[in-house]
Amino acid sequence: MKNKVLRRVYVWERPVRLYHWLNALVIVALCITGYLIGAPLAIQSNAEASHSYWFGIVRFIHFLAAYLFFFNFIFRIYWGFVGNKYANWKNFVPTSKAFFKEMWDVIRIDIFLKRNREHLAVGHNALAGFIYFLTFIAFAIQCLTGGGLYAAMSDGWLPALFAWVPGVFGNDQTLRMVHHITMWFFIVFAIIHVYLVFYHDFVEGRGEMSSMGGGWKFIEEEVFHKHKA
Amino acid sequence: MSSRIVVDPITRIEGHLRVEANIEGGKVTDAYSSGTMVRLIERILQGRDPRDAWAFVGRVCGVCTTVHSLASCRAVEDALDIVIPPDAELVRNLMYCAQYMHDHVVHFYHLHAMDWVDVVDALNADPKKTSEIAQAISNWPKSSPGYFSDLQKRVKGFVASGQLGIFANGYWGHTAYKLPPEINLIGLAHYLEALEWQKEIVKVHAIFGGKNPHPNYLVGGMACSIGLDDVSVINAERLAYVGQLLEDGKRFIEQVYIPDLMAIAPYYLDWGAIGGGLGNYLVYGDLPTNGYRDESSFKFPSGVILNKNINDIQEVDLREDAQVKEFIGRSWYEYSGGDGAGLHPWAGETKLNYTGPKPPYEHLDVEQKYSYLKTPRWRGHAMEVGPLARVLVGYARGREDFKEVVDRALSTLNVPVTALFSTLGRTAARGLESILVAGWAQEFYDALITNIRNGDVRMAETTNFDPKTWPKEAKGVGHTEAPRGALAHWIVIEDQKIKNYQLVVPTTWNASPRDPEGKRSAYESALLDTPVANDEQPLEILRTIHSFDPCMACAVH
Amino acid sequence: MASSAKPQRPTYYEELIQKGYSRRDFMKFTTMIAAYLGLESSGVAQITEALMTKSRLPVIWLHFQECTCCSESFIRSSHPIVADIILDKISLDYTETLMAASGHQAEAAMHKTMTDYPGEYVLCVEGSVPVDADGAYCCIGGKSAVDILQEAAAGAKAIIAWGSCACNGCVQAAKPNPTGATPIHKLVKGKPIIKVPGCPPIGEVMAGVLVHVVTFGRIPELDRIGRPKAFYSKRVHDSCYRRPFYDAGLFVESFDDENARKGYCLYKVGCKGPTTYNACGVTKWNNGTSYPIQSGHGCIGCSEENFWDNGPFYRRLSSFPGFGIESTADKIGTIAAGVTAAGIAAHAIGTNIMKKKIIQSHIQEGRSGAKELDIEK
Ligand code: HEM
Ligand code: HEM
Ligand code: NFV
Ligand code: SF4
Ligand code: SF4
Ligand code: F3S
Ligand SMILES: [Mg+2]
C-alpha cells in the first residue's frame, strides 16, 4: 500500500483557537448555571436568607460568563472578516450551489456512512460549517434573549441595548422559554460536535483533535492542491 | 294596543343584558331576555391543566369573584378524589362569607337602590328630620343633622355643576318613586358610605388569596400557609385583621343595610305582589361545617321547591343524568343532537352558532334563537335560583336560624309569607341571608382559631397534586351557592388534561331564553304583569330585573 | 409638555362673562338656582364656586368582553376613594355598571358627552372587542362593540385600556380565541392609548392613572409598549419581599410544605414574578393589604400579554407548544440529548463496520510508516 503524502497546514490561527476554548468553557458554564436557574436544587434548610446566597452566586456566574461569551462572540464575528480563509464567514454561510453539494456529500459519507469513502476538506467541511452557522445564530438568539432578560435587572449600558427585545417576543415569559430551549440546542450540539471531532480524527487521521490546540492540520497533498487551485 | 319596548343596555348589572317587552294596558304582557356578549370560556378550557382551571373560570366574573374558582377546585378535587384539610375549608368559607357580604351590599346600594331611591328628591329633605329617622332606625353613628346637611350641600353643588355623571338621565321624579325625601337622603348617604365600606370587607380575600377581585385558590386546599412564628405567612396579625374585618362587615349589615331595607320596604309593599314569576326554586347548598362531602353539615341546605309548595322539598343530585340538563333550542349554539336535545353537563357541548340579525339591529327575532345563554332545566322545570330560593328552602326545611330572621322581617313589615314570592321578596331575602352569613362568618372564624390553637395548621392536601398520580380518566362536579344562586361546574379529565368543562351558572338559570318547549325562565316569567307607567322610562322593569341581581358575564361565560 | 396640556374649557362663569353678562348677573343667577334647589343662603357660595371652577374631566367608560372586575377593582381604590373621584375629579358620564339610566337614556348620556366635549373626554375601555361574526359576539343596544368603540374613540382626547382584556385580550383571547377577541390598540389608531394591564389592575393604580390625568392635565409617561412607567417599570420579582429567599436558593417545593410555612420563594411552584411587570410588590392590593405572593400563591403573570397561554401556573417553565401539558422544554431537551447520545453510539459502531477499510488503511499506513522509520534508523 502506498502511503499518503501529508502536508502540515496552519488552519486555526491563535485568535480562533483562543476564541474556541474560551467559548467552549463559557458555554459549559452557561449551560450548567442556566440549567440551575431554570430548575434550582432543592435545598431543604432552615437557613435564614441572609446567611446564604448560593442562587445569587449561580446567577452571578451566569451573567459573568454571559459577558465573556458575548464579547468573545463579537470578536469571532470580527475575525470572520479579517482572519484567514478557514476562519472567513464564507465558510459558514451557504452562499453557493457548491456549498450545498458538499453538504450533501458529507451527509452521505460521514452521516449515512457510505461505505469506504472519505470526504476530505481543509478547514471545516461544508456541513460542519453550516452547523456552526446555525450555532452562531443560536449564539445571537442567546445573546438577544439573555440580554433582553438582563435588561430588566440591570442599569448597565450594555443590557440597556437589549431593552427592546422583550417587546418583540410579546412578554418576558416567552423570552425566557426561548432562552431556555436554546440551551438544549447547545447541549445537543456539544455532544455531536465533540463526537464528530473524534470521529474525523479517527477516520481521517489528520490530527483534527490537536488542530484546535496547535492550529495545524495534516492535509493530503492532492487535497491541498485541489483547494489551492 | 300593544307596544314593544327594548331596554338595552340594562345598566347597574354585570354585563350585557337586553330585554324586549310587549306592553299592553300599562303592563308587561310578554318579555324576552337576551344575553348579548359571549366569550366561550368552556371551549378555551379544553386541553388545559385541570389545576389551572380555577383561574380561568375565576375570570368568568369579577363581581361574584371567587365563586367560580371555588366551584372549580371542588370539581377537580371531586374528580381526583382529594379531601381538603379542615382549615382550608374554613378559609374558603370565610372568603365565601366575605364575598356575600360584599356582593349583597353593593347590589343593594349601587345596583338596586336607585330603582327605589330618588336621588334628586333627596335634595328636598330636611336634614334634621332625616337625622331623627336615621337615629330611630339604627344605632349607626353617622346620623347627625350636620352630617346629612353637609352631604346635601355637597350633592347640591354637584347637581349645580351641571355634570351629573352617573346620575345623568336617571328616572328622577318618576311616579313610581314613593319614598319621602328624608329616606331618599338616607339612601343616598349610605350609597356613598357603602362605596367606602365595600373596599374593606374584601380584604379578607386579599389576606387569604392575595388580592381582590380574583383572589387565588388552589386545588387541594389553599395556598395561604399558616405559620404562627413567621412574619410572611398567615400569623396572629393576619388572623386578627380578618377578625376585625368580619366584625366591621357584620356591623354595617346590621346597622345600615338591614335598617335601610326595612325603612324602604314599607313604601313599596305593593311590590310584594309583583314579579313573583315561576314559583320553582332550586338550591344546591353550601358552607360545610363538617367537610364539603357531608351535605347535611351545610349552613345553606339544598333542595327544590316546585309551585311555591314549601311543604314538599325534593332532593338534588348533580350526577344524575335526568336532573340538570341544558338546552339550546333558543340560544345561539348548536348541539350534535339537534336543537331539541337537552344535555347533562358531563356530556355538554359548547359550539357557537350565531343566527341573529347582523348588527346594528333594532330588534331580535325572538321567535327564533335570541340569546347567548343556554337554557338549564331541572327535571324539565324552569327554576329560580338565588337568595329567595335559599331563604325559602332553609325556611321550608324548618331551620331555626332561617325561621328567626324571616319571621321577624315578615312581622315587622306585617306581610304574609306569600309576599316573599315577589320582586320585594327577592330583594328582602338578599338582606336576610346577609344577616345569617355575617353571623356564620363569626362561627367559622372561631372554628379556625380553635383548630390552629389545637395545632392543626394544614392548609393544603398535595398528595394528588402531581398529574402522574391521576387516573387516565376522571369526572367530577363541584357546586356552591353563589350570591346569585346555585352554581356548579362539571369536569371531565382525560390524560391529565381537561376534556370537557361545563358551567351551569345562577344567572343562566334565571335569565335564559325559553326552552325548546317554549317555557319561560325566571326573568321572562317574573316580568309578566309588571306595571309600566311610562314606556320611555322602564323603571319598573328594572326593579324586577335588578331584584335578581343579573350577572351576564357569569350567565354566558 | 405644553402641547399635551388639558385644553382649558371655560367655566360657566367665564362663559357668561364672555357672553357679556356682568358678575352681578352671575351672582343673581347663582342665588336663583340656590333657591330653586332649596338651599339656605350658605349654599349660594358653594354653587358660586361650582360654577366658577372648571368642569370635571368627562369620562366615558365602555364595557365589552369583560368580567367587570376592572370596575370592581376601581371601586376598591383607597386613595383617593372612588366617591371622591366621581363626585369631585371626573364626571363619569357613562358606565353600564353604575349609571342610573338604562337603555336609550343611557345611550343619550354618552352621546351628550361626545357632542358637548369633542376632543376633551377620556375614553376608558374595559374588556376586549370580538371582531369575528361581524361583531355579533358583543352587542350593546343592537350595535356591535367594534362600532361603539370606533364612534366613541373618534372624539376622545385619550384612551385608557383597563385591564388585560382591553390591553391584550386576556382570557377570552387565550387559545383558540373563539370569538376573535381583540385588544383596543389593535382597533384604534391615532389616539394616545394608556395601557393599564392586570387581571384586574390594582385599584389604586387605576385611580392613580386617572388622577394623574386630572391633576397634571396630561397622560403619564408610558413605556415602550404603552404602560405608565410609574406602575409597570419593575417586575414583581424586583420588589418582592421574598426575593432574599430566591437569592439564597430557598424555595417552596410543594404547597404548604415546611418551606411554605416559612414564607420561602415560590419560584419552583410556578411563580411568574420574574417575568411579570406590575406594582404588586410595592403598591400591593386592597390598600396595601397583601398581594398574591404574600398570601402564598405564585404570581400567575396576570399583567402580561398572553399569560393564559404561558402556563401551566404551577411550573416555572411553560408547556412546550405542541406537546402535552406535562412536557417541558427540559423533558424534551433531555430526550433529545438522550436520542443524540444513542445515535452517536450507533454511529460509532456503524463507523467501525462501514469504514473498516478506510480505518484499516490508516492503520496500515501508520504501520508502514513506522516500518520505514525503523528501516531508516
Ligand atoms: C450559550 C449561552 C447561554 C445559555 C445556554 C443560557 C442558558 C440559560 C438558561 C437555561 C436559563 C434559565 C432560563 C429559565 O429557565 O427561565 C438562563 C437564564 C438567564 N440567562 Fe442565560 N444562557 C446563555 C447565555 C446568556 C447570555 C449571553 C445572557 C446575557 C446576558 C444570558 C442571560 C440570562 C439571564 C438574564 C437569565 C435569567 C436569570 C434570572 O432571571 O435569574 N444568558 N440562561
Ligand atoms: C473536547 C472538546 C472539543 C474539541 C476537541 C473541539 C475541537 C474543535 C475543532 C477541531 C474545530 C474545528 C472544526 C472543524 O474543522 O470542523 C472546532 C470548531 C468549533 N467548536 Fe469545538 N471542540 C471542542 C469542544 C467544543 C465545545 C464544548 C463547543 C461549544 C459548544 C465548541 C464549539 C465550536 C465552534 C463554535 C466551532 C467553530 C469554530 C469557528 O470556526 O469559529 N467546541 N472545535
Ligand atoms: N350568576 C352569577 Fe355569578 C354569581 N353570584 C356566579 O356563579 O355573578 Ni357574577
Ligand atoms: S382584565 Fe381580567 S379582571 Fe379585567 S375585566 Fe378582564 S378578566 Fe376581568
Ligand atoms: S416569590 Fe416569585 S416574585 Fe418573589 S422572589 Fe420568588 S420568584 Fe421572585
Ligand atoms: S398574578 Fe397579577 S396580581 Fe400581581 S403578583 Fe402577579 S401580577
Ligand atoms: Mg355553560
Side-chain angles (χ1 to χ4, degrees), chain C residues 235-297:
Chain C
R235 300 174 303 161
V236 171
H237 189 59
D238 295 323
S239 54
C240 178
Y241 76 103
R242 296 196 185 200
R243 181 62 183 268
F245 293 108
Y246 172 88
D247 288 330
L250 296 171
F251 301 107
V252 172
E253 300 290 333
S254 72
F255 284 102
D256 206 31
D257 67 0
E258 275 309 303
N259 296 358
R261 291 178 192 161
K262 290 201 218 92
Y264 284 0
C265 166
L266 296 160
Y267 188 67
K268 289 178 81 174
V269 287
C271 182
K272 303 287 191 293
T275 49
T276 303
Y277 293 78
N278 207 341
C280 303
V282 185
T283 309
K284 298 197 181 174
W285 282 80
N286 308 98
N287 201 18
T289 302
S290 184
Y291 70 114
I293 292 157
Q294 188 175 344
S295 299
H297 196 287

Side-chain angles (χ1 to χ4, degrees), chain A residues 20 23 39 42 47 73 79 100 105 107 124-125 130 189 192 214:
Chain A
H20 177 271
N23 193 39
F73 176 42
W79 202 257
F100 286 102
D105 280 350
I107 289 172
H124 319 284
N125 65 49
F130 183 67
F189 165 84
I192 298 176

Side-chain angles (χ1 to χ4, degrees), chain A residues 11-12 16 19-21 23-25 27-28 31 76 86-88 91-92 122-125 127-129 131-133 135-136 139 186-187 189-191 193-195 197-198 200 207-213 217:
Chain A
V11 186
W12 311 119
V16 173
Y19 152 80
H20 177 271
W21 290 114
N23 193 39
L25 182 76
I27 287 183
V28 170
C31 286
R76 182 64 183 86
Y86 308 112
N88 195 278
N91 288 295
F92 305 103
V122 182
H124 319 284
N125 65 49
L127 181 67
I131 290 174
Y132 297 139
F133 175 60
T135 312
F136 287 142
F139 287 175
F186 285 104
I187 293 174
F189 165 84
I191 297 172
H193 171 70
V194 174
Y195 168 73
V197 172
F198 277 91
H200 285 286
E208 182 90 15
M209 286 272 271
S210 68
S211 72
M212 258 312 153
K217 255 190 186 180

Side-chain angles (χ1 to χ4, degrees), chain B residues 61 63-64 67-68 103 482-484 487 505-507 551 554:
Chain B
C61 184
V63 175
C64 63
V67 298
H68 290 286
D103 211 339
R484 287 157 194 76
L487 167 69
V505 181
T507 302
C551 176
C554 272

Side-chain angles (χ1 to χ4, degrees), chain B residues 277-311:
Chain B
L278 295 172
N280 298 336
Y281 301 94
L282 167 69
V283 183
Y284 297 160
D286 206 338
L287 286 178
T289 57
N290 181 38
Y292 169 70
R293 294 189 173 192
D294 179 5
E295 298 221 352
S296 69
S297 80
F298 286 7
K299 288 285 193 189
F300 276 127
S302 68
V304 165
I305 293 171
L306 292 177
N307 295 319
K308 306 185 184 172
N309 182 358
I310 59 173
N311 298 318

Side-chain angles (χ1 to χ4, degrees), chain C residues 195-335:
Chain C
K195 290 188 196 164
V196 189
C199 188
I202 300 170
E204 283 80 10
V205 165
M206 300 177 75
V209 170
L210 270 176
V211 167
H212 185 113
V213 176
V214 172
T215 314
F216 302 110
R218 56 170 185 256
I219 66 172
E221 195 177 333
L222 306 178
D223 70 3
R224 224 172 278 273
I225 60 169
R227 302 171 297 194
K229 282 187 178 166
F231 307 111
Y232 295 94
S233 56
K234 291 275 184 306
R235 300 174 303 161
V236 171
H237 189 59
D238 295 323
S239 54
C240 178
Y241 76 103
R242 296 196 185 200
R243 181 62 183 268
F245 293 108
Y246 172 88
D247 288 330
L250 296 171
F251 301 107
V252 172
E253 300 290 333
S254 72
F255 284 102
D256 206 31
D257 67 0
E258 275 309 303
N259 296 358
R261 291 178 192 161
K262 290 201 218 92
Y264 284 0
C265 166
L266 296 160
Y267 188 67
K268 289 178 81 174
V269 287
C271 182
K272 303 287 191 293
T275 49
T276 303
Y277 293 78
N278 207 341
C280 303
V282 185
T283 309
K284 298 197 181 174
W285 282 80
N286 308 98
N287 201 18
T289 302
S290 184
Y291 70 114
I293 292 157
Q294 188 175 344
S295 299
H297 196 287
C299 166
I300 63 171
C302 78
S303 54
E304 288 293 306
E305 184 165 329
N306 215 23
F307 75 99
W308 296 105
D309 290 329
N310 276 337
F313 297 137
Y314 297 105
R315 215 177 40 208
R316 265 227 53 250
L317 296 176
S318 305
S319 282
F320 202 82
F323 293 80
I325 49 167
E326 272 301 289
S327 60
T328 61
D330 281 349
K331 277 196 187 142
I332 291 166
T334 312
I335 292 166

